[in-house]
Amino acid sequence: MSEYNKILKENVWYNNPVFVQILGICSALAVTNNLTNTFIMTIAVSLVTAFSSLTVSIIKGFIPRKVRMIVQTLIIAFYVIIVDIILRAYLPDISKSLGPYVGLIITNCIIMGRAEGFAQSNGPIISFWDGFTSGLGYLVVLMSVAFFRELLGFGTLFGIRVLPEEFMSWTIMLMAPSAFFMLAIFIWVAKGIMLRKEAK
Amino acid sequence: MAPDISPFVLFFASIFTSNILLANFLGMCSFISVSKDITSSNGLGMAVTMVMTITTALNWIVYHKIIIPFGIEYLRYIIFIIVIAAVVQILEMLIDRLSPNLYMSLGIFLPLITVNCAILGVTLFMQLRYYTFIQSIFYGLGSGLGWWLAIMALAAIRKRVDKSPNVPAAVKGPGLTLIIIGIMAMAFIGFSGMLNVQ
C-alpha cells in the first residue's frame, strides 16, 4: 500500500505535472475562467490518463518499440473520443463551451508522458493509479487557478454569486494574461514552500 | 456556413489579435521548454509554421472529402492526428533528402511537433468555425507565423532575464517565464479591436 501512497504524494505534490514539470498546461489554461468547465475538463483528463496508462501497460508487450508513440497516441485518441461522446450526450452545454479543448486532450503532454515514462515499464493496476493521481495533481492546480479567476472575474463560484453585487469584477481575470499570472504565482508559492523545506 | 472573412484579414488576425499561443494557450509545452535559446526557437518556429500550413490544408480536404461524405465524424480526432503524424513523418524524410542542413537544425524538433497542441488546435478551430479551403490555408499559415513570432520574442527576452541575479530562487525558470508570457499576452491584447475573428 505504501507504494501507492508514495505515487499519490509524488504526483500531486513533489512531482506535480503542472507546477514542477510544466506539462499539459496548453489546453487547460483556456478553460480555467469557469470552475464548472475546469472541473469537467480535469476529470476528463484524469480518466483519459488513467485508462490510457492502463491500456498501454496491458499491451506493452505487443507494441514494437519503433511504433509505440503512434500506438500510444491512438490509444489516447480512442479514450478522448469516448469522453467527447459522453460529454456531448449528457452535458451538451459544457461540451459546447469547452469547444475544441476536449479534442485537444489528445495532445496533452501529461498523458503521453505517463504512458511513456511509467506505464511502459510497470504493471497495469499501478499504472492506472499513477495515471489517475497525475490527473489529480493537474486537477488540484487548475481548480485553484479557476477558483481565483472565476471569483474575481465574475464574482461567482460554480455559477453561484458569492461576492456582493457592488463588487467591481476584474475583467482581466477573464482574459488570457491572468491565466499565465495565476499559474506563475502558484508555481512561485509551491516552489517557495519546497525550497524552504529543503533548506531545513 | 463559411464565415464571410477575407483570407487576408484572417491571416493578420491569426498572427496578432488571436495569436494561437497568447490568446488560445496552445503549444505551451514546447514553447516554454525550447524558448531558452534563440537558434532552436527559430528552428522550431519554422517547423511549426510549415507543418501547420500543410496539415490544416490536408485536414480540410480529409474532413470535407472523406469524413463528412462517409459520416464518420466521431472518428475525426483519430483521423486528424494520423494525418498530422504522417505529414511530420514524410516531411522529416523529405527534408533529410533535400536539405541536410535544414534537417540538422530541425532534426530533433520535427517529431515533437506531432504532439504540439497548436497543430491539432488549428485544425479543430478550422473545422469548428467552418472555414473554406482558402481561409483555412491562410489561417494555418498565419497561426504558424504568430507562434513563430511569439517564441522568438520570448527567447530574446529570456536570454536577458534568465541571467539576472535579482530573481528570487522560487520564481526562477518556469515561473518567471510564465510571468513574461503573461506580460506578452497583455501586449498582444493591445492589437485587439484592429481586426476580429471568432
Side-chain angles (χ1 to χ4, degrees):
Chain A
M1 215 52 215
S2 66
E3 199 176 351
Y4 286 84
N5 252 331
K6 214 182 107 205
I7 289 178
L8 178 69
K9 267 190 207 153
E10 274 284 307
N11 284 338
V12 175
W13 180 251
Y14 296 101
N15 219 350
N16 185 295
V18 184
F19 61 73
V20 180
Q21 305 177 29
I22 323 292
L23 288 180
I25 52 180
C26 330
S27 51
L29 284 173
V31 300
T32 50
N33 57 16
N34 176 319
L35 269 170
T36 321
N37 285 355
T38 313
F39 186 66
I40 300 293
M41 177 79 177
T42 47
I43 289 289
V45 170
S46 307
L47 290 181
V48 172
T49 320
F51 281 103
S52 49
S53 280
L54 177 75
T55 315
V56 168
S57 171
I58 290 173
I59 63 168
K60 62 177 181 276
F62 306 106
I63 317 174
R65 272 200 81 72
K66 272 200 128 168
V67 295
R68 70 180 193 289
M69 292 294 244
I70 189 79
V71 173
Q72 283 165 6
T73 313
L74 290 182
I75 292 169
I76 296 167
F78 169 73
Y79 286 112
V80 171
I81 288 176
I82 294 179
V83 165
D84 185 44
I85 291 174
I86 293 175
L87 280 185
R88 263 192 294 166
Y90 293 101
L91 300 163
D93 295 339
I94 290 177
S95 162
K96 208 165 220 159
S97 64
L98 286 177
Y101 292 101
V102 176
L104 286 168
I105 295 177
I106 297 174
T107 48
N108 190 317
C109 346
I110 297 175
I111 306 177
M112 189 66 124
R114 288 340 281 177
E116 181 69 22
F118 195 93
Q120 199 63 246
S121 48
N122 284 287
I125 306 290
I126 201 159
S127 297
F128 182 85
W129 180 245
D130 175 74
F132 187 71
T133 48
S134 288
L136 221 56
Y138 178 79
L139 183 144
V140 170
V141 178
L142 287 184
M143 288 300 277
S144 337
V145 172
F147 176 82
F148 289 108
R149 281 186 78 189
E150 192 183 338
L151 186 69
L152 299 174
F154 290 112
T156 60
L157 288 178
F158 287 107
I160 301 160
R161 180 154 281 284
V162 282
L163 291 178
E165 289 288 342
E166 306 86 73
F167 174 75
M168 178 87 90
S169 49
W170 304 4
T171 316
I172 182 81
M173 289 314 256
L174 304 179
M175 296 201 284
S178 70
F180 294 115
F181 291 136
M182 284 305 307
L183 194 64
I185 293 168
F186 209 90
I187 292 174
W188 194 340
V189 171
K191 234 179 150 186
I193 296 172
M194 278 181 205
L195 285 177
R196 192 164 296 170
K197 256 190 194 160
E198 258 170 46
K200 265 182 193 168
Chain B
M1 268 308 289
D4 187 23
I5 311 168
S6 146
F8 288 102
V9 172
L10 205 51
F11 176 71
F12 287 108
S14 54
I15 297 179
F16 297 109
T17 55
S18 46
N19 188 296
I20 191 81
L21 202 132
L22 298 169
N24 290 320
F25 306 102
L26 297 178
M28 292 290 302
C29 303
S30 43
F31 185 64
I32 292 180
S33 55
V34 176
S35 60
K36 280 185 200 103
D37 135 273
I38 292 188
T39 330
S40 359
S41 303
N42 192 22
L44 185 64
M46 206 190 315
V48 164
T49 310
M50 203 153 52
V51 175
M52 209 178 255
T53 318
I54 299 172
T55 53
T56 318
L58 269 182
N59 275 335
W60 190 93
I61 298 173
V62 168
Y63 185 69
H64 288 268
K65 302 295 171 208
I66 298 174
I67 297 182
I68 290 186
F70 285 93
I72 45 172
E73 274 156 353
Y74 57 92
L75 282 178
R76 64 182 190 278
Y77 297 147
I78 285 196
I79 296 174
F80 287 156
I81 203 88
I82 291 175
V83 170
I84 292 171
V87 166
V88 171
Q89 195 68 248
I90 294 171
L91 213 60
E92 201 179 347
M93 290 191 287
L94 272 183
I95 294 175
D96 190 16
R97 270 288 163 77
L98 299 176
S99 162
N101 276 337
L102 184 64
Y103 183 75
M104 285 298 279
S105 61
L106 292 185
I108 33 171
F109 301 119
L110 268 173
L112 268 180
I113 289 179
T114 315
V115 286
N116 187 322
C117 13
I119 309 277
L120 183 62
V122 168
T123 290
L124 293 178
F125 274 122
M126 167 274 284
Q127 175 241 317
L128 275 176
R129 295 177 186 163
Y130 310 104
Y131 287 154
T132 62
F133 185 58
I134 303 294
Q135 279 172 335
S136 301
I137 291 180
F138 277 86
Y139 180 60
L141 181 63
S143 298
L145 291 175
W147 202 90
W148 193 353
L149 174 73
I151 197 172
M152 286 303 281
L154 180 67
I157 297 171
R158 278 187 75 177
K159 200 179 165 201
R160 299 283 166 154
V161 173
D162 280 356
K163 288 200 184 102
S164 164
N166 300 326
V167 182
V171 77
K172 237 185 181 121
L176 187 61
T177 311
L178 278 169
I179 293 177
I180 298 171
I181 300 174
I183 296 170
M184 273 172 66
M186 277 171 83
F188 269 69
I189 284 181
F191 287 118
S192 61
M194 240 165 50
L195 307 157
N196 222 348
V197 284
Q198 207 38 260

